[in-house]
Every structure is written in structure tokens, then in C-alpha cells.
Amino acid sequence: MIVVVATLGALAVLLSLPYWLPGAVTKLRTWLFARVNGADGIPVPGDLVDLSRFMELYAHPAADGRSRGAALSDLFWYWLSPGAEVHQEHLEPGPRYNDVARCTRRILTMPSRTADELATASLRAALPRQHGLVRLRDLMMPVWAEFYHRVVFGIPCPPGVRDLIVDHSEDVVTSLKCCGLRHMDRRLRLTRHLRDTLGRVPHPLPETLDEHERAFYLQGTFFNTAVVQSAEATAHVLMEIAAHGADGPLEAVIEWTLHDFPLFGVAHRITSAEICLEGAEPIPAGSVLCFSYPEFHRSGGHIPFGVAANRPCPAWHLAPISIGAVVREVLREHDLATTARHTRPLPNRGPCLMTPRGHRVRHRRLVLAYLRLRDRWEEVWRSPLQLVLGTYMVWHARRLRLCERHFEQERNTSHDPARHRDHAG
């Protein structure tokens, strides 16, 4: 009798795992990562600054530091390496940042019609010919690799080069989600290619960067952040449509999807001077402010591309137009349905049933039931994996101190292009 009861109890625990284990592990991982913020980490909103002061603090001129002095920066530099030291989002304010930001705006500025046509052409050239159960983020990666290659180089992307970009981007986002470790060989292959092809870029590149840094700049800004964020945003929109349909204009669907599933989790800024908000305690210089986009959006706010006064996304105009074009073309030729969980981090990469438009699917309900069950059980193994790999990467990043070492060397040595090779991690 005892054996029977124990067996039934173990079976009940096993069957219940999808309903409690992933959430418990996620909370543990969130607590662990919060520890890396350092003693000066200030959550916003939080006890010191509430939601009503979120925008005021985010837009404050002294909330302008990006990397120097934040323990959290070591972790982000680790995930974004190589070349995090010249990534536009991680450059400190000053002439170099201004030079890089101007170049990015110049490359991304184009008429709306051109952006729409470019996105449509990129989809037709690069969308994998897959149907059935797919992962939307995986499908979208080659499309955005193609798009940003055309934006940067002005020509279609050769398939082999597209593979280099996709391999690099997938490696970055997989490690960011703590679903896999970094593979620096994949990343450095793209670095070498970009360095060899800098002369083919038809745009003037930042004058304050040397040749190696320019390759890192292109890799980090366009073939990492732009590709990853565009693929994620498109997957979110398609997941929302697959689950609930496309009620209303597509522009509105994109807007509310980016509201409910903001691409950014926490953006950190380091204060360069004391900040005094009326009715609140002064915030000392050197404090690390951690702005939570999901919390701000849940309160009714909406800043999908950041705050204009504090480094908004340079693709704020281009992204909605190009994403809309890609989504429109996908829906023109395909039907989508999903029963998988849709969360902001999207660690499941957007599982979906995709079929040719109007095509009848045999046993459709059974397929969608299987998709739901598979997705729930994938969380059971994925959440502990994220905890283990995330813990390792936090430890490894703290050990390497990529950001801290960079600023130490900057203080102690004159500018030496060779030192950037030390930051590959």
C-alpha cells in the first residue's frame, strides 16, 4: 500500500511540474540576476522613485551614464562581446558616441516606401520555406539578416554571409535568454568577414573608430541588436495574431503587441551627477538606475523605443514600417495558429502552426493540443537549464570583468587598437 501511495504521489508531482516548476525557477533566476546589480542598484519604479516619476527620471540629463561603474555592465558586455566597448548603447556620452549615433541615424534614414519595399524584398529572398510546426523567431532571423545587410551594404545578402549573420545573432540571443552558452568562434567569424568587407559599405563610417572598431560597430549595432530585436518583435506580433487574430489595422496590432510584450526588460543608466527630484531623496552620482519597461507598460505607459531625451532606439521610425511590411507579407500567404505560451522573453522562440493560406490541416485540433503539451513540458527542462547556464554566465562575466577592465585600461594606457582584442571574452 505504501509503495502504491508513494508511486501515485510521485506521479502527481511529475505531472504537476509544468504548472509550478518553471515559475519557481524563474523567480530564483531573477533573484540571482538582481544580485549582480551591485549595492547601488536602484529599481525604477521602486521604493525611491515611483511610477509617477519614471519618465522624469529617465529623461534627466544626469541619467546618462551607460557602462562605467555598473557591475551589471560586465554581464551585458559579456553577452554582447566582441566589441561591446563600441556598441552604440554602451558608449559613454561624448564625441565618440555622437559620431557613432550620427552614423547610425544616417544609415537608417530612408523614406517609408523604401523601407516597406526593402522589407518585402528581404522576406521574399530569405524566408525559409517551412510549414507545419515552426519557431517564428527562427524563421524571422534570416529575413532580418537579409534586410540589414541590404540597409548597410546596399546589396542583397549572399546566402553564406546570411548564415554568418544568423549564426552570430542566434548565439547572442540564445545566451541572453540563458538557453545556451556563448560560442565566440561563431561571433568572430562574422567580425573577420565585416573587417574584410568594410570597403564595400557605401556609407561613411564613424571617423572616431579605427578599422577593427568599425567592424565591431557594424556587428553590434546592425547584425546583433537590429537583427535580434526585429526578429523578436516580428515573432511577438505573429504570435499575438496566431493566438487571437488580427482585429483592427496592422499598425494598431503592432503597437499594442509592443506594449504588452516590450522588447526591453530592464535598461540601466548610471548617474553622472546627483539627481534631486522634488519630494524625493537625492540620488547620488554613480548610482545605477534600473528602469523596468514591463512595469512601466503595465501601469499604462508606452515607450516601445525608449525615451527621446535619453538614447531612444535609432530605428524608432524604421522598425514599425519594416516589421509591418514583413508581417503583412507573411499573413498574405500563410495562416497561423498557436496554443503555446506567449511571454515577453519568448524563450520558446514562438512555436506556431504555419500553413499555406486557405490550406486545410488534417487533425488541426490534435496538432494544436500537441503544441500546447510540448510547449508546457519544454518549460520543465528549459527553466532549470536557464538557471544553471545563467548562473555560470553571471559567474564567468564577473570573473572576466570585460567592462571594468576596459575602463581600467582606458585610465592607465593611451589608446591602443590592439587592446580591443582582449574584449572578445
Side-chain angles (χ1 to χ4, degrees), residues 55-324:
M55 292 293 289
E56 180 184 359
L57 181 58
Y58 206 161
H60 196 284
D64 61 347
R66 287 303 293 122
S67 292
R68 189 197 305 264
L72 188 59
S73 299
D74 281 326
L75 184 56
F76 278 109
W77 282 39
Y78 177 87
W79 278 326
L80 295 176
S81 62
E85 67 273 15
V86 294
H87 193 293
Q88 183 168 326
E89 263 298 287
H90 291 272
L91 283 170
E92 297 301 315
R96 174 176 273 207
Y97 168 75
N98 295 335
D99 184 28
V100 167
R102 276 194 302 270
C103 180
T104 304
R105 287 194 298 269
R106 189 167 56 244
I107 292 174
L108 295 180
T109 298
M110 65 183 70
S112 299
R113 183 174 178 178
T114 301
D116 187 293
E117 292 173 350
L118 196 60
T120 301
S122 298
L123 176 83
R124 291 171 179 169
L127 182 69
R129 304 301 177 193
Q130 295 180 20
H131 292 107
L133 293 180
V134 300
R135 307 273 181 172
L136 291 170
R137 196 186 78 196
D138 295 351
L139 284 183
M140 290 300 110
M141 279 285 189
V143 174
W144 292 108
E146 177 73 29
F147 178 82
Y148 280 102
H149 188 278
R150 295 184 182 211
V151 168
V152 171
F153 288 94
I155 58 173
C157 185
V161 177
R162 192 191 305 146
D163 291 342
L164 282 179
I165 297 170
V166 170
D167 285 349
H168 167 258
S169 299
E170 287 185 340
D171 193 67
V172 171
V173 72
T174 299
S175 64
L176 276 167
K177 308 293 182 184
C178 300
C179 293
L181 298 177
R182 303 181 312 163
H183 297 84
M184 294 307 300
D185 55 335
R186 299 178 193 173
R187 303 185 183 197
L188 293 172
R189 280 198 292 269
L190 179 59
T191 306
R192 288 191 290 270
H193 169 77
L194 292 173
R195 189 168 183 182
D196 291 342
T197 55
L198 283 176
R200 302 176 194 171
V201 178
H203 311 278
L205 294 175
E207 296 179 358
T208 54
L209 303 183
D210 63 32
E211 186 179 78
H212 206 62
E213 290 170 330
R214 288 175 181 178
F216 282 150
Y217 158 69
L218 293 177
Q219 184 166 354
T221 301
F222 298 100
F223 301 120
N224 170 359
T225 299
V227 171
V228 167
Q229 297 286 38
S230 297
E232 289 250 309
T234 311
H236 277 301
V237 174
L238 291 174
M239 277 287 284
E240 188 70 5
I241 292 171
H244 304 294
D247 295 329
L250 183 56
E251 294 80 3
V253 174
I254 293 173
E255 185 173 355
W256 77 59
T257 299
L258 295 182
H259 176 274
D260 292 347
F261 304 96
L263 296 178
F264 307 106
V266 173
H268 75 285
R269 299 287 189 268
I270 302 96
T271 57
S272 57
E274 183 179 79
I275 297 179
C276 296
L277 302 180
E278 186 177 352
E281 294 182 22
I283 300 173
S287 298
V288 181
L289 306 174
C290 299
F291 294 94
S292 173
Y293 277 66
E295 285 194 50
F296 184 67
H297 280 207
R298 281 195 293 268
S299 74
H302 187 51
I303 48 169
F305 299 104
V307 176
N310 195 339
R311 299 198 186 191
C313 174
W316 66 270
H317 175 71
L318 178 66
I321 296 168
S322 54
I323 290 169

Side-chain angles (χ1 to χ4, degrees), residues 12-85:
V13 170
L14 179 64
L15 293 176
S16 70
L17 286 178
Y19 301 96
W20 63 269
L21 181 63
V25 174
T26 298
K27 288 180 180 178
L28 180 59
R29 192 174 78 249
T30 301
W31 173 85
L32 173 70
F33 286 1
R35 304 284 292 181
V36 82
N37 289 350
D40 293 328
I42 298 174
V44 184
D47 295 335
L48 189 60
V49 181
D50 62 21
L51 278 166
S52 67
R53 316 299 289 275
F54 185 98
M55 292 293 289
E56 180 184 359
L57 181 58
Y58 206 161
H60 196 284
D64 61 347
R66 287 303 293 122
S67 292
R68 189 197 305 264
L72 188 59
S73 299
D74 281 326
L75 184 56
F76 278 109
W77 282 39
Y78 177 87
W79 278 326
L80 295 176
S81 62
E85 67 273 15

